[in-house]
Amino acid sequence: MLRIFLCSSALLVANAAGADTLRIVVPFSPGGAQDTLARWYAQHIDERTEYSVIVDNRPGAGGSLAADEVAQADPDGWTILQASGGAITIAPHLRDLPYDPQSDFAPVALFADTPMTLAVRADSAFESIEDVIAAAEADPGGVAYASTGHTSVSHLTGALLAQAAGIDLMHVPYQGAAPGLADLLGGIVPLMVTSAASIDQMVESGDARVLAVFSPVSLSNLEGVPTIEDALDAENLNSPVWAGYLAPAGTPQERIDELSQLIVDICEMPETQERYLSLGATLVCGDADALAAVMDEDYTRWGAVIEAAGIEAE
């Protein structure tokens, strides 16, 4: 019998979480891809262990609310954060935080990546990255790209592209992927930087095309699409949208190792690969060291991009 609970009340969580209850704090609302992944891991952790699992959705402040809660939790290994770049590797460069992403958490495991892509409408005149660069060079600031929000990974990836290509692109922020994609397909904006997971179904339906992926290798669901590094013959242009689990700093190493092995084992299941494909996510399984390396690279990358572009928090 599964013992996975959705909790929206701090009091309920406090009462429910006991010595044998693992709480996964998710900085997103129920129903999205990140929440779906959290429930997948919760289900399989429950099936493999003797303890119950709580999925605790704490959206808000770009993930900082959830991160702060986990940073302040007891370092006993029974509370972990389902983390991504927003609150961990981007926010520190933009504003003061009540937690220190580099010292208040212990990496546990890496379990997903949904790389960024540069997408156009299916009938767009842009056939390649070279076409975009040529248009931007001919009309500096006149070629626009949509993002999923100001200071989002989507926004910063567009800035990374502009810096690498030496061009000036107009940034048009939206509140999430859906409205940006609607305007892309409606011809309001010619380009959108969005995750492979967001654009995948529109490519399959023939409504959109992807010009390049910001990943070290081509993606199986976007066959024939070049990587941005190959397209520009440049390095250090990858833009992962990683997901991993963090525990409060001071969590015993023995407990970190136990959770890490548990998550990696679930990540490597064939059923997990199938589940990821249905979400448009990329399976990237790694231990605590792998997650730490990704976080370090992400922190350095976005710090440099933010500084070079003069991006500030709203």
Side-chain angles (χ1 to χ4, degrees):
M1 176 179 175
L2 296 181
R3 305 176 299 281
I4 304 169
F5 307 98
L6 168 64
C7 297
S8 58
S9 162
L11 179 61
L12 179 58
V13 170
N15 289 339
D20 296 322
T21 301
L22 176 67
R23 181 163 66 111
I24 301 175
V25 180
V26 181
F28 301 96
S29 300
Q34 289 283 348
D35 175 71
T36 299
L37 288 172
R39 293 177 193 287
W40 177 265
Y41 281 90
Q43 173 189 337
H44 290 280
I45 290 171
D46 178 276
E47 291 174 354
R48 288 166 177 255
T49 66
E50 295 298 320
Y51 46 83
S52 58
V53 187
I54 290 172
V55 175
D56 182 13
N57 297 88
R58 295 300 177 92
S64 296
L65 292 179
D68 186 40
E69 182 167 334
V70 174
Q72 297 185 50
D74 290 337
D76 54 11
W78 294 103
T79 299
I80 58 175
L81 173 69
Q82 182 160 312
S84 56
I88 302 299
T89 57
I90 294 175
H93 302 291
L94 296 166
R95 59 183 182 273
D96 292 331
L97 298 169
Y99 56 89
D100 185 336
Q102 295 186 301
S103 63
D104 287 347
F105 299 100
V108 175
L110 176 71
F111 67 86
D113 178 15
T114 52
M116 285 283 122
T117 70
L118 182 66
V120 297
R121 201 166 75 163
D123 61 358
S124 171
F126 294 137
E127 296 290 340
S128 66
I129 287 288
E130 289 78 6
D131 291 342
V132 174
I133 293 173
E137 289 176 338
D139 183 16
V143 177
Y145 75 95
S147 81
T148 59
H150 181 69
T151 72
S152 65
V153 175
S154 172
H155 173 195
L156 300 184
T157 301
L160 175 67
L161 170 61
Q163 291 169 15
I167 56 177
D168 182 13
L169 296 174
M170 180 190 301
H171 173 229
V172 183
Y174 286 82
Q175 295 297 314
L181 288 168
D183 276 4
L184 178 73
L185 298 187
I188 306 301
V189 288
L191 302 163
M192 184 166 185
V193 177
T194 190
S195 71
S198 296
I199 200 67
D200 184 56
Q201 290 186 344
M202 293 181 181
V203 172
E204 285 189 5
S205 67
D207 294 320
R209 290 185 286 111
V210 170
L211 301 182
V213 294
F214 292 80
S215 67
V217 296
S218 298
L219 304 183
S220 59
N221 59 325
L222 295 171
E223 187 175 355
V225 176
T227 69
I228 191 67
E229 293 187 337
D230 287 343
L232 294 182
D233 191 23
E235 297 180 346
N236 301 318
L237 297 180
N238 297 322
S239 180
V241 187
W242 57 270
Y245 286 114
L246 302 176
T251 299
Q253 187 61 47
E254 185 176 303
R255 178 61 171 162
I256 294 287
D257 294 343
E258 177 188 350
L259 288 171
S260 179
Q261 188 61 60
L262 186 61
I263 291 162
V264 170
D265 286 348
I266 295 168
C267 186
E268 292 177 342
M269 289 170 22
E271 300 96 311
T272 302
Q273 174 70 60
E274 294 174 7
R275 191 72 182 102
Y276 277 46
L277 288 173
S278 73
L279 295 170
T282 302
L283 192 69
V284 179
C285 309
D287 61 12
D289 290 340
L291 177 56
V294 167
M295 289 167 55
D296 286 345
E297 292 171 3
D298 223 41
Y299 184 87
T300 300
R301 175 192 304 110
W302 297 136
V305 169
I306 289 167
E307 182 178 3
I311 297 170
E312 297 180 351
E314 289 184 323

